[in-house]
Amino acid sequence: MSLSSHSLRRLLPGALLAVSLTTLLLGSCAPVLQRVVQVPTFTVVQTRLTGLTIGSPAIARVTLRLRVENPNPVSARLANFSGSFFLDGAEVGDANLPNIDLPARSSTEQLVYLEIPVSLKTAAIWLQVARGREMPYRVDGTFTADLGAFGQPSFGPYTLAQGVFKQPAILP
C-alpha cells in the first residue's frame, strides 16, 4: 500500500501534533520527577581520632561511622563525594567519601577513613581532640546519586554530616 502525497499531507499535521504532545507531556514530567527524588541523609554514628602523627608529613587519621539513608523508592549508588572537613569551625582538610550502594527506602552503615594533613594552623585543634576535649566538626560537600530511571542528580554543597568528637584521650 502506498500513500499518495494528498494522504501524506493529511496525516502529517496529526503526526506532528502527536510528537509535540508527547514531547510536552514528557518534558512536564521532569519537574515532577525532581520533586519525587529526595536527598539521601547522613547521620554520624561514631567518630574516632585513631591517630595523630606529628612530623613530616603531619597527619590526623579520623574514622567516621555514618548511617546513610535512602528515602527514595529505588536503589541508589552515591558517588563523586567531594567535601571539606571542619573542626571547631575551621576548615582543616578535604574529605572524600567512598562510593555507597543503598537499597531502596533503606539505610546502610559506612566506615569512612580520612587522612587529613595537619598544618601549623590546625595542630593545636588536633592536639585538643587527641587529649579528649570535645570538639565540634562537620563535613560539607557534594555528591551524585545514580537513581536509575530517576536520573543522576547532584546534591550540595551542604552539610553532609556533623557532630562532636567525644572520645577518651589518645595523648596525655
Side-chain angles (χ1 to χ4, degrees):
M1 176 177 158
S2 68
L3 291 174
S4 68
S5 63
H6 176 69
S7 298
L8 195 54
R9 271 186 259 134
R10 284 182 40 205
L11 290 175
L12 192 57
L16 289 174
L17 178 62
V19 168
S20 296
L21 283 174
T22 302
T23 303
L24 179 66
L25 289 174
L26 288 176
S28 68
C29 288
V32 172
L33 288 177
Q34 289 173 350
R35 285 190 302 246
V36 171
V37 173
Q38 296 179 39
V39 179
T41 58
F42 300 80
T43 305
V44 178
V45 175
Q46 181 183 39
T47 348
R48 188 70 56 200
L49 176 64
T50 57
L52 184 60
T53 306
I54 305 296
S56 184
I59 299 286
R61 288 179 182 77
V62 175
T63 301
L64 300 175
R65 180 181 300 273
L66 298 176
R67 179 174 296 116
V68 186
E69 186 172 335
N70 178 12
N72 296 294
V74 296
S75 61
R77 178 165 180 79
L78 306 184
N80 303 324
F81 285 97
S82 154
S84 298
F85 192 82
F86 292 82
L87 196 54
D88 200 25
E91 184 175 355
V92 295
D94 295 332
N96 296 308
L97 284 62
N99 294 341
I100 301 170
D101 290 318
L102 286 171
R105 293 195 173 135
S106 187
S107 65
T108 188
E109 284 195 7
Q110 177 76 42
L111 282 176
V112 178
Y113 302 99
L114 302 175
E115 287 195 355
I116 302 172
V118 176
S119 68
L120 289 175
K121 181 179 170 184
T122 63
I125 295 171
W126 285 113
L127 284 172
Q128 290 177 32
V129 172
R131 290 185 173 137
R133 179 171 176 233
E134 291 185 2
M135 186 74 63
Y137 70 89
R138 75 177 195 271
V139 179
D140 290 351
T142 61
F143 66 94
T144 301
D146 183 352
L147 296 165
F150 289 102
Q152 295 183 346
S154 291
F155 299 98
Y158 70 99
T159 298
L160 300 173
Q162 63 184 348
V164 175
F165 270 101
K166 296 178 187 177
Q167 70 180 52
I170 62 172
L171 290 177

